[in-house]
Structure formats: structure tokens, C-alpha cells
Amino acid sequence: MDKIDIIVAENQDVWKTRSAFFQWIKGIVRRGWSKSPVRLKHLKKRAMRVPNTNPRSMKRFPFVNAYKCEICQQVFKQNEVEVDHILEETASLTSLDDVRSCVEKLLVVSDSDLRILCKGCHSVVSLSQKLGISFEEAKVEQYIISLLKSETMYRKFIKENNLPHGRNKDVRRGIIREYLNDNNKL
């Protein structure tokens, strides 16, 4: 039993598993990232002022910051974008040995290591890194995941596209993936 196991065992009301303990540590690093001067400077440098369309605040703030997503090239409000680390792989944190690597990947960055992405593109990039697949493949996988989360959406999709109803999620996933790839959807 190592020190982490002892800490988790002594604090079962806080962390049920080792994984939960390391998620807590990664959360601390991510909170540090949200206040990173490099991140904030990156946002400030790429901000463009656009007219505020929110009727509740437009009198007080006639203009607000907006950003162009570096993947889809659309313009989004500040709360609709994220600063992405341009990484080949995600910052893994599953043991104490990973702490240094995680901190370096998330916090020890320069402006050229970052880009602005809309939340949609950022989630696809994260999924592609997690699964080790291309951006386009991750886009398909994300769509499949969203379909399978809702039985109503799934049933509507298979009915509209005249597809068989799979007996379990893996079969359903395969049916949807094959249909989307064969018909160049998404």
C-alpha cells in the first residue's frame, strides 16, 4: 500500500478511489490554468470588440469581446470559447509520477502553444486526443455519443434513415458509424 492508498483509505468521505484523488489534483492544476497570465494575455491579444446583442446588458456594455475559432473560423462570445493547448496527447494524471508532466503540459506554455477554439471544436479535439483518432473521426464519434445518450433521438435517427435497431449500444454505435461514413454525413 503506497501513500496515496493510505490517504484515500483515511479519507473515504472525500475520495472514494485513487482516481478521484488524482482528479482532485488535476482540478487544482486546471484552476491554476484558468488564472494563467499566459492564457489571459493570449485571450486579450485575440479579442475583437463586437456589438453586444444581449438586451439585458447592451446599454451598460454596448460592445463585448468575441473570438474567432481557429478551426471552424466562426466568431463566438467569450463565454463560448476556450483556450486550447496544442498538444499531441492529453495531460494524463493517474499517478504521482505524472504530476510534473501534467503541470508542464498545462502550465508551462508559451503563446505559440495555445489557440482559441469554440467549445464545440474544443470538445472534438479533446475526444480525438483521448481516442487517438483524427478530428473528423472524433466528430463522428461525438455525434454517435450524443445520439446514444437519448433514446428518443436514436429512435428518430434510425427511423428517418431506415436503419435496423441494434440490440445493444456497441451494435447501435456500429450501425450509426457505418451509415455516417457510407453517406458522408457530418
Side-chain angles (χ1 to χ4, degrees), residues 4-168:
I4 303 302
D5 291 328
I6 294 167
I7 292 169
V8 170
E10 289 175 352
N11 297 283
Q12 280 289 299
D13 58 322
V14 180
W15 304 291
K16 302 273 186 248
T17 63
R18 286 178 65 92
S19 176
F21 177 81
F22 286 110
Q23 285 174 340
W24 171 72
I25 291 177
K26 193 166 187 180
I28 292 169
V29 175
R30 288 201 176 280
R31 279 189 292 285
W33 164 244
S34 71
K35 296 177 178 141
S36 164
V38 176
R39 177 186 172 276
L40 297 174
K41 189 176 175 183
H42 188 83
L43 278 167
K44 187 175 183 179
K45 190 162 51 168
R46 284 158 180 77
M48 36 181 158
R49 302 293 282 167
V50 297
N52 186 354
T53 56
N54 183 342
R56 295 175 68 192
S57 63
M58 62 193 314
K59 273 192 173 181
R60 268 184 67 204
F61 306 104
F63 293 92
V64 293
N65 287 345
Y67 302 86
K68 185 182 272 192
C69 173
E70 293 184 38
I71 291 180
C72 70
Q73 301 299 308
Q74 293 183 35
V75 175
F76 295 90
K77 294 178 187 162
Q78 186 164 349
N79 66 343
E80 300 170 329
V81 298
E82 295 173 343
V83 179
D84 179 51
H85 293 75
I86 303 171
L87 297 170
E88 295 300 313
E89 58 189 42
T90 58
S92 169
L93 185 51
T94 57
S95 74
L96 285 177
D97 295 336
D98 295 337
V99 172
R100 180 183 174 120
S101 169
C102 180
V103 168
E104 286 178 352
K105 285 179 181 175
L106 294 179
L107 300 179
V108 184
V109 294
S110 67
D111 190 64
S112 63
D113 297 323
L114 305 172
R115 62 184 171 181
I116 305 280
L117 299 181
C118 67
K119 290 184 177 182
C121 287
H122 188 253
S123 67
V124 174
V125 166
S126 297
L127 185 62
S128 74
Q129 289 172 336
K130 180 181 175 184
L131 300 178
I133 58 178
S134 74
F135 182 83
E136 295 307 319
E137 290 169 319
K139 214 172 177 180
V140 170
E141 289 305 311
Q142 190 176 59
Y143 182 70
I144 292 169
I145 290 166
S146 70
L147 271 180
L148 293 176
K149 278 185 179 176
S150 166
E151 186 68 27
T152 306
M153 282 179 56
Y154 170 71
R155 287 184 183 278
K156 182 179 177 191
F157 180 84
I158 62 171
K159 186 176 181 181
E160 286 174 355
N161 296 295
N162 198 28
L163 297 171
H165 182 75
R167 65 182 182 278
N168 62 41

